Amino acid sequence: MAEDRPGTDGGMAWEGISPTLEDVAARAKVSTATVSRCLNAPQRVSERTRERVMEAVRALGYAPHFGARALAANRTNTFGAIIPTMENAIFARGLQAFQEELGRHGITLLVASSSYSPELEEEQIRTLIARGAEAVLLIGQDRTPESYTLLRRRRIPHVVAWTNARGEGPVSIGFDNRKAMAALTARVLEQGHRRLALVSAPRAGNDRARERAEGVSEAMAAHGVPPADLVLIETPYSITNGAEAFARLMARRPRPTAVLCGNDVLAAGALRQAREMGIDVPGEVSVTGFDDIELAEIVTPALTTVHVPHRAMGAGAARKLMALRNGEDVGASEELEATIVWRESLGPAAVG
Amino acid sequence: MAEDRPGTDGGMAWEGISPTLEDVAARAKVSTATVSRCLNAPQRVSERTRERVMEAVRALGYAPHFGARALAANRTNTFGAIIPTMENAIFARGLQAFQEELGRHGITLLVASSSYSPELEEEQIRTLIARGAEAVLLIGQDRTPESYTLLRRRRIPHVVAWTNARGEGPVSIGFDNRKAMAALTARVLEQGHRRLALVSAPRAGNDRARERAEGVSEAMAAHGVPPADLVLIETPYSITNGAEAFARLMARRPRPTAVLCGNDVLAAGALRQAREMGIDVPGEVSVTGFDDIELAEIVTPALTTVHVPHRAMGAGAARKLMALRNGEDVGASEELEATIVWRESLGPAAVG
DNA sequence: TTGTAGGCGTTATCAG
DNA sequence: CTGATAACGCCTACAA
């Protein structure tokens, strides 16, 4: 049963191996060049031959070899994105919008995650480049200098999102984390809270976390509360970690009356722990989040948080990158607004 | 400043273009073959030359061209996975485990999402194949016949997860959706509930949803409750949809006393709506979920749900695929256990 | 241990 | 409109 090679026999080609341009050409009795044209510039081929070729393509189940195409044409129609994590939904909506916008223009997205590690991110950048990413979306500003060197050397357009970078450096599209967190903190202070705690993500290698923490201090100072009084716990984003951090905070005497969380996931964990400990939110303690993901309105009590323009950032980043790839100018960085969403988890400070 | 070409000058290479093996070879004064060996089989190169080569690699920031490598070596060390959606966390944990297991063996993962559309999935399969995926993870059993044809023709190992497929067809690793849902329904019935409702994902093209619905009917029949009495609403997985479905159910007279949801996300929506409508759960109505994602223990009341062995499926699928790719035999399909997690959202049926 | 050279599947530049 | 043919960057016998 084992035949030799498919060769140019007009019969059923041997199944089991990826057909190539040559196989299609043989079956359609044309040259490989013509097949290639049928696929890439159909209008440059006569109707009759095109039909014959397409028929052969279908019959053989032919699909062009991506690597070979990248090699020969030096283009891939592929963009890359590196996000810190896929484990929670923080980046899901933004990435979805990014993807949709690219998809509309026939561009494929390659996603990698860095686990909040600059070294890992540098590695991922290398991988994306090797795989032919023509443009790259990055989150935030903290990364190794080599990461930027790599991208610049290869002339690969890149944009940083989830942050607002003034001045030189890469083009950014995002919001001012410090300003947003300061505004939220101001609201908390206006409710009479003076003993504040912040559950932050580890700030090393995470400029968003750092800026949010700075925002808290800034607002405290502006309201005449010594920033040094802030109780700060660093812990990676996860519900469990949020719960643990909250428990530790509640063990202090005196207790903080407001617990600000670096994002909604930590805040959800804090709420779970509060319920478990029988602590009333916001009656005894207020809790706030950051991001306004769907989770924020599901939990009880619903979270007061900062609404981040996820979709706008994702779509905007896609448009900027496509423009850059096409050699157009996209101007300076773009600042979007983050707004405060007041829900039930923030209330007035208890007397005393 | 514009030089001609980098050539073999020993000085600083011209920055701005991706260096190739040849560039590295020139700088290290060896042949391209030696550089290639340094990268792929370091032990076959003398210490001295290897150092020189690696130094050149670093200096030039060289990274091998993925496409070229795939073309020449006919291997990519890349696996693919197609999941129905990235929008909610249903598949996050399983995929994470899948990825970790692959990463341990130096394999890169390409992820695509099908939006629960068999046609889109077929398209994604083509794309993954074209990009060199050497093995593919799929979710569930419903797909176009062509999808399987494509994979078989190319001899691409594939495994289906999140389901348990007996008999012929592709190897599977997962749990029995029907059995799990039947077990959960039995618990509900034992609590005295007789007016049941099911909020399911659209069953067309989704065997897991179909089997779960069948499980409900099966358990009802076994308990002497006419399956025809089941009120069924189909709606895509999302919190908002879950909330809307719940509202519609509560508008019926008589109301169902237990609302089973096809997954935790829908159930979370139902709970939100219940709170909004001032309906007590489980006092007036019981609600159950499916999946046991983190969300399930965050919501109020915490969800009674089916714990799905996400991580075990992901890791197991990775091991099976790697074995298959290496030509080993992996035996038949593997059935894992899904267990019921009893939390607060399920209680006894109100009298009357 | 190292170098030479052919080929992987595709695109693109030429002639016909 | 179609067909040769030379790249593209890398791997791998095969030779030295």
Side-chain angles (χ1 to χ4, degrees):
Chain A
M1 206 54 161
E3 289 186 31
D4 213 320
R5 294 230 44 181
T8 53
D9 69 323
M12 186 70 73
W14 184 63
E15 295 195 357
I17 283 297
S18 298
T20 70
L21 259 198
E22 202 169 350
D23 298 330
V24 178
R27 186 180 233 265
K29 309 218 183 296
V30 294
S31 74
T32 61
T34 300
V35 179
S36 177
R37 273 189 292 259
C38 276
L39 268 33
N40 299 304
Q43 72 283 6
R44 301 182 54 79
V45 158
S46 83
E47 173 101 21
R48 275 180 35 73
T49 30
R50 197 191 330 160
E51 273 173 13
R52 234 176 42 249
V53 170
M54 288 320 227
E55 149 62 21
V57 165
R58 263 190 303 278
L60 264 40
Y62 168 81
H65 186 293
F66 177 81
R69 175 175 273 187
L71 200 51
N74 197 33
R75 66 184 162 65
T76 59
N77 277 333
T78 299
F79 283 15
I82 304 178
I83 59 175
T85 177
M86 302 193 193
E87 281 192 44
N88 56 53
I90 307 179
F91 301 103
R93 278 221 299 278
L95 205 64
Q96 182 74 20
F98 185 68
Q99 158 128 268
E100 284 168 11
E101 189 68 28
L102 294 183
R104 258 191 284 286
H105 297 262
I107 294 170
T108 308
L109 174 62
L110 249 39
V111 193
S113 67
S114 68
S115 304
Y116 289 97
S117 152
E119 288 70 32
L120 242 175
E121 191 194 36
E122 184 183 323
E123 197 55 38
Q124 308 278 29
I125 291 177
R126 271 183 225 284
T127 303
L128 286 180
I129 291 177
R131 282 183 176 272
E134 295 172 352
V136 173
L137 169 68
L138 302 168
I139 305 295
Q141 316 222 52
D142 280 9
R143 51 185 51 84
T144 65
E146 288 74 24
S147 295
Y148 286 126
T149 307
L150 279 168
L151 292 166
R152 267 200 311 271
R153 263 203 195 165
R154 306 305 228 292
R155 304 269 157 82
I156 296 182
H158 49 288
V159 160
V160 302
W162 261 258
T163 186
N164 180 45
R166 304 166 200 73
E168 49 195 80
V171 172
S172 80
I173 176 164
F175 60 96
D176 187 326
N177 283 275
R178 170 197 272 257
K179 192 165 69 182
M181 194 56 151
L184 177 63
T185 306
R187 301 290 189 91
V188 171
L189 292 164
E190 287 159 10
Q191 291 293 305
H193 295 279
R194 286 301 175 268
R195 295 200 301 277
L196 269 45
L198 171 64
V199 183
S200 169
R203 288 167 297 175
N206 183 340
D207 55 297
R208 286 93 61 216
R210 217 163 39 238
E211 289 185 349
R212 290 176 196 180
E214 288 168 4
V216 175
S217 300
E218 181 181 306
M220 289 175 78
H223 283 250
V225 182
D229 288 0
L230 178 69
V231 181
L232 190 145
I233 293 185
E234 285 193 350
T235 187
Y237 287 149
S238 88
I239 288 184
T240 306
N241 287 340
E244 280 170 8
F246 186 82
R248 280 168 56 199
L249 289 172
M250 290 304 105
R252 297 176 66 101
R253 291 295 175 274
R255 282 181 174 171
T257 66
V259 176
L260 310 179
C261 296
N263 82 355
D264 290 346
V265 175
L266 288 174
L271 291 181
R272 185 180 76 181
Q273 185 66 25
R275 183 171 58 185
E276 196 150 300
M277 296 173 72
I279 295 176
D280 181 53
V281 177
E284 297 175 67
V285 181
S286 284
V287 173
T288 65
F290 201 111
D291 278 342
D292 195 26
I293 58 179
E294 231 174 359
L295 183 60
E297 28 176 359
I298 293 309
V299 292
T300 314
L303 272 177
T304 293
T305 188
V306 175
H307 177 80
V308 170
H310 299 280
R311 293 195 58 90
M313 285 191 299
R319 281 192 294 271
K320 275 197 194 324
L321 285 177
M322 291 188 293
L324 285 170
R325 198 245 332 224
N326 298 337
E328 301 163 20
D329 189 21
V330 299
S333 294
E334 181 175 348
E335 179 172 356
L336 303 174
E337 285 307 314
T339 57
I340 291 169
V341 183
W342 196 308
R343 299 203 187 89
E344 302 137 25
S345 69
L346 171 60
V351 184
Chain B
M1 204 50 161
E3 289 188 30
D4 212 320
R5 294 231 41 182
T8 53
D9 71 322
M12 187 69 73
W14 183 62
E15 296 195 0
I17 283 297
S18 297
T20 71
L21 258 198
E22 202 169 353
D23 297 331
V24 178
R27 185 183 236 264
K29 306 212 185 301
V30 294
S31 74
T32 60
T34 300
V35 179
S36 177
R37 276 190 289 260
C38 276
L39 267 32
N40 300 304
Q43 73 282 6
R44 301 182 54 78
V45 158
S46 82
E47 172 101 21
R48 274 180 38 71
T49 28
R50 196 189 333 158
E51 273 173 13
R52 234 176 41 249
V53 170
M54 289 322 233
E55 149 63 21
V57 166
R58 263 189 302 279
L60 263 41
Y62 169 80
H65 186 293
F66 176 80
R69 174 175 274 188
L71 202 51
N74 196 33
R75 66 183 164 63
T76 59
N77 277 332
T78 299
F79 283 14
I82 304 180
I83 59 176
T85 176
M86 300 192 193
E87 279 192 46
N88 56 52
I90 308 179
F91 301 102
R93 276 221 301 278
L95 204 65
Q96 181 75 22
F98 184 69
Q99 157 127 268
E100 285 169 10
E101 190 67 28
L102 294 182
R104 257 191 285 287
H105 297 262
I107 294 170
T108 307
L109 174 62
L110 249 39
V111 193
S113 66
S114 67
S115 303
Y116 290 96
S117 153
E119 289 69 35
L120 242 174
E121 191 194 37
E122 185 184 324
E123 196 54 38
Q124 308 277 29
I125 291 178
R126 272 183 225 284
T127 304
L128 286 180
I129 291 177
R131 291 187 107 89
E134 295 171 353
V136 173
L137 169 67
L138 302 168
I139 305 295
Q141 315 221 55
D142 279 9
R143 51 185 51 83
T144 64
E146 288 74 25
S147 296
Y148 285 127
T149 306
L150 279 168
L151 292 166
R152 267 200 311 271
R153 262 203 196 165
R154 307 308 228 289
R155 303 270 158 82
I156 295 181
H158 49 287
V159 160
V160 301
W162 261 258
T163 186
N164 180 47
R166 303 165 200 76
E168 49 195 78
V171 172
S172 80
I173 177 164
F175 59 97
D176 187 326
N177 283 274
R178 170 197 271 257
K179 193 165 70 181
M181 193 56 151
L184 177 64
T185 306
R187 301 293 188 91
V188 171
L189 292 164
E190 286 160 12
Q191 291 294 303
H193 295 278
R194 286 300 175 268
R195 295 199 301 277
L196 305 193
L198 171 64
V199 183
S200 169
R203 288 168 296 174
N206 183 340
D207 55 296
R208 286 92 62 215
R210 216 163 39 238
E211 290 186 349
R212 290 175 196 180
E214 288 167 5
V216 175
S217 301
E218 182 181 305
M220 289 175 80
H223 283 250
V225 182
D229 288 359
L230 178 69
V231 182
L232 192 147
I233 294 186
E234 285 193 350
T235 186
Y237 287 150
S238 89
I239 289 185
T240 306
N241 287 340
E244 280 170 7
F246 186 82
R248 279 168 56 199
L249 289 173
M250 291 304 105
R252 296 177 66 99
R253 292 294 175 275
R255 281 180 175 171
T257 66
V259 176
L260 310 179
C261 297
N263 82 355
D264 289 346
V265 176
L266 288 174
L271 291 180
R272 184 180 77 182
Q273 185 65 25
R275 182 170 59 188
E276 198 151 299
M277 297 173 72
I279 295 176
D280 182 52
V281 177
E284 296 175 66
V285 181
S286 284
V287 172
T288 65
F290 201 113
D291 278 343
D292 195 27
I293 59 178
E294 232 174 0
L295 182 60
E297 30 177 358
I298 295 309
V299 292
T300 313
L303 271 177
T304 293
T305 189
V306 175
H307 177 79
V308 170
H310 299 280
R311 293 195 58 89
M313 285 191 298
R319 281 191 294 269
K320 276 197 195 323
L321 285 177
M322 291 187 294
L324 285 170
R325 198 242 337 219
N326 298 338
E328 300 163 19
D329 189 20
V330 299
S333 294
E334 181 174 348
E335 179 172 356
L336 304 174
E337 285 307 315
T339 57
I340 292 169
V341 184
W342 196 309
R343 299 204 186 90
E344 302 138 26
S345 71
L346 172 59
V351 183

